[in-house]
Amino acid sequence: MTNFYTVSQYRPKAEKSPPLVYYSGSKPPSSIKGATHLSLYDYNNRKLEKKQEKQPWSALFNDKKEKKSPQLLELRGLINQGNLCFANAIFQSLVFCQPFYQLFIQLGRELPFSFNKTPLLDATIMFLNEFRVLDDDDIQLQTGEPFTPTSIYDAMKTYNRFSQIQLGQQEDAEEFLGFFLDTLHEELLSISPRLKPRTGTTLHEWFDGLLPTDQPAQADDGWLEVGHKNKTLSTKSTNTQESPLTKMFGGKFRSVLKTPGQKDSITLEPFQPLQLDIQPDNIHTIEDALINLAQPETIHGVHSSSKQGPVDARKQVTIDTCPPILIIHLKRFLYDSIGGVLKSNKKIGYKSTLNIPNEIISPSKRPAEGLNYRLFAVVYHHGQSSGSGHYTIDVLRQNHKQWVHIDDIVMDLLDEKDVVITHNSKQNNNYDDKVAYLLLYSKI
């Protein structure tokens, strides 16, 4: 059968770059010199993609603003070629993260590929385009052919931070997710100059209005903030460049240090993901772990200039900014001086929705209507060791009607009751090798 090849018309052509070619076979055409190997929608799906209207970027982060139902994607398994289950679980979580999917699909329409400058960004676009948009709202388990995200692995080879990942060696899914998002963040910052001439807006302008605008301008040496009874506070902030990904996944802590005889010191620090300690005996649910995060802590030996010596200071951490997509990392791997790194299989309760307790949000940032999230992915770790085991994932499909369990290429439909964990005090000592490790939520 003769394959159909055509130069893409809906993507802008990069200057001094080889032509972009669509093909329906498994290999790029050898007769076209310089053809780029792209695994994108086939010809028929390309027609459908051209008809899709662009959504405002702010709609990607707020379900209340979305007028259309999210596109339902075909389910496809990812082939595990050497203990890469940790990567497969992370890739699937991003496929089912609606803002992430729409961001990169939109970037794929606006910009040409530039594999020498943004290899991981372009490979991610290629990967997401492997998931066909379904024509109807059928929620039955209809799966496409499993595949290996080779383009992503090839792109990762150009970065030293991924050099430790080797076939046959188990890696930490949370650490891998951080490396992956950090690399995409850096590449996104580099494309803004390429974007404005084509769209008339910078990358940041696409996401105007997503972050709070009532914070004072940040400076390297901090600013003065007025607190209780007009008392001035010394406030500092970690200065980081923002991209759509930091706006999507990143939040900020507010750390307040109260030292006798000195002005209160406030530090704003970014977090991505939100890491929660689950080991204390009083922690049985996600909400318990969140409240524990904001418990005041006594810091001994803090120098006070007015007291001319060390004093006991009081430190409290609250959440100053919550991201549209909240990633919660349950800290299960602990270091023991005798046994080394050990895994905790403690059961932690969580529901399909999460209400962030007001007491852990900075007082000036507490919303009147509350801060609510919907669970859409759970990454599990199976096994007793941090250096071995297996990762699987439960995902909520884009229409919010069906949960699916994905174990590399094996998929099973689930009821919501099979995903959530209801805390029961009698289950405190009930340990299993399958436990939630990462929880991904979208803001409602």
Side-chain angles (χ1 to χ4, degrees), residues 99-118:
F100 183 92
Y101 172 83
Q102 291 186 351
L103 166 65
F104 283 89
I105 292 298
Q106 188 70 25
L107 285 174
R109 296 171 184 154
E110 299 290 353
L111 290 175
F113 284 109
S114 178
F115 287 102
N116 59 329
K117 296 181 180 178
T118 54

Side-chain angles (χ1 to χ4, degrees), residues 260 262 303-311:
Q262 294 188 181
H303 179 77
S304 173
S305 55
S306 62
K307 301 291 185 180
Q308 296 182 348
V311 297

Side-chain angles (χ1 to χ4, degrees), residues 93-378:
S93 73
L94 296 176
V95 170
F96 289 87
C97 178
Q98 190 68 12
F100 183 92
Y101 172 83
Q102 291 186 351
L103 166 65
F104 283 89
I105 292 298
Q106 188 70 25
L107 285 174
R109 296 171 184 154
E110 299 290 353
L111 290 175
F113 284 109
S114 178
F115 287 102
N116 59 329
K117 296 181 180 178
T118 54
L120 192 60
L121 186 151
D122 296 314
T124 301
I125 294 172
M126 292 171 57
F127 167 73
L128 294 175
N129 274 303
E130 292 281 3
F131 294 83
R132 182 173 60 93
V133 178
L134 300 179
D135 294 331
D136 54 30
D137 201 34
D138 187 0
I139 64 173
Q140 298 303 312
L141 188 60
Q142 297 181 355
T143 61
E145 183 179 355
F147 70 103
T148 303
T150 306
S151 59
I152 291 183
Y153 292 130
D154 288 343
M156 285 164 45
K157 293 177 182 178
T158 63
Y159 290 95
N160 290 333
R161 59 171 56 123
F162 294 108
S163 60
Q164 64 177 347
I165 297 176
Q166 301 177 5
L167 291 177
Q169 178 176 308
Q170 181 68 268
E171 301 293 343
D172 187 287
E174 186 273 333
E175 184 180 40
F176 175 74
L177 175 60
F179 287 163
F180 193 80
L181 293 180
D182 285 347
T183 306
L184 288 177
H185 160 74
E186 294 165 3
E187 292 190 357
L188 281 169
L189 291 178
S190 73
I191 70 170
S192 189
R194 296 165 52 202
L195 186 66
K196 188 166 185 178
R198 295 181 180 276
T199 64
T201 59
T202 66
L203 192 64
H204 294 291
E205 289 171 338
W206 280 5
F207 292 85
D208 278 350
L210 293 180
L211 291 180
T213 57
D214 56 349
Q215 295 182 2
Q218 298 180 7
D220 291 339
D221 56 352
W223 63 85
L224 289 179
E225 181 175 335
V226 178
H228 183 59
K229 295 182 178 180
N230 292 328
K231 181 181 179 181
T232 58
L233 309 174
S234 175
T235 307
K236 296 182 180 180
S237 176
T238 303
N239 217 5
T240 58
Q241 285 186 290
E242 291 178 341
S243 75
L245 287 186
T246 59
K247 294 181 179 182
M248 190 184 303
F249 295 105
K252 287 185 179 180
F253 287 128
R254 172 177 289 246
S255 176
V256 181
L257 183 66
K258 295 180 179 292
T259 304
Q262 294 188 181
K263 296 179 180 178
D264 292 350
S265 175
I266 299 179
T267 304
L268 300 180
E269 298 178 345
F271 67 81
Q272 178 186 304
L274 181 59
Q275 297 185 329
L276 296 182
D277 181 10
I278 60 173
Q279 302 313 313
D281 293 337
N282 64 325
I283 294 179
H284 308 292
T285 66
I286 294 296
E287 289 81 3
D288 292 340
L290 287 171
I291 292 174
N292 180 69
L293 181 72
Q295 293 302 306
E297 176 186 4
T298 299
I299 308 296
H300 301 289
V302 177
H303 179 77
S304 173
S305 55
S306 62
K307 301 291 185 180
Q308 296 182 348
V311 297
D312 288 347
R314 182 176 179 270
K315 178 183 177 182
Q316 185 174 25
V317 175
T318 55
I319 295 178
D320 200 66
T321 304
C322 270
I325 301 297
L326 176 64
I327 303 173
I328 289 182
H329 171 216
L330 303 182
K331 298 168 67 174
R332 294 194 175 276
F333 297 114
L334 310 170
Y335 179 78
D336 180 80
S337 58
I338 299 177
V341 179
L342 303 176
K343 178 190 171 185
S344 167
N345 286 326
K346 181 179 180 181
K347 295 288 187 182
I348 296 295
Y350 53 88
K351 304 174 184 177
S352 59
T353 57
L354 172 66
N355 177 260
I356 305 296
N358 260 350
E359 54 262 47
I360 75 165
I361 302 177
S362 301
S364 62
K365 300 297 181 68
R366 293 172 183 172
E369 67 279 8
L371 194 54
N372 301 301
Y373 284 85
R374 176 189 292 113
L375 182 69
F376 71 87
V378 183

Side-chain angles (χ1 to χ4, degrees), residues 388-413:
S388 62
H390 186 57
Y391 286 96
T392 63
I393 186 172
D394 291 345
V395 293
L396 180 63
R397 300 190 73 177
Q398 290 81 5
N399 55 12
H400 302 153
K401 295 180 181 179
Q402 184 65 64
W403 281 92
V404 181
H405 179 68
I406 303 177
D407 183 351
D408 291 329
I409 63 173
V410 179
M411 298 186 174
D412 296 295
L413 294 179

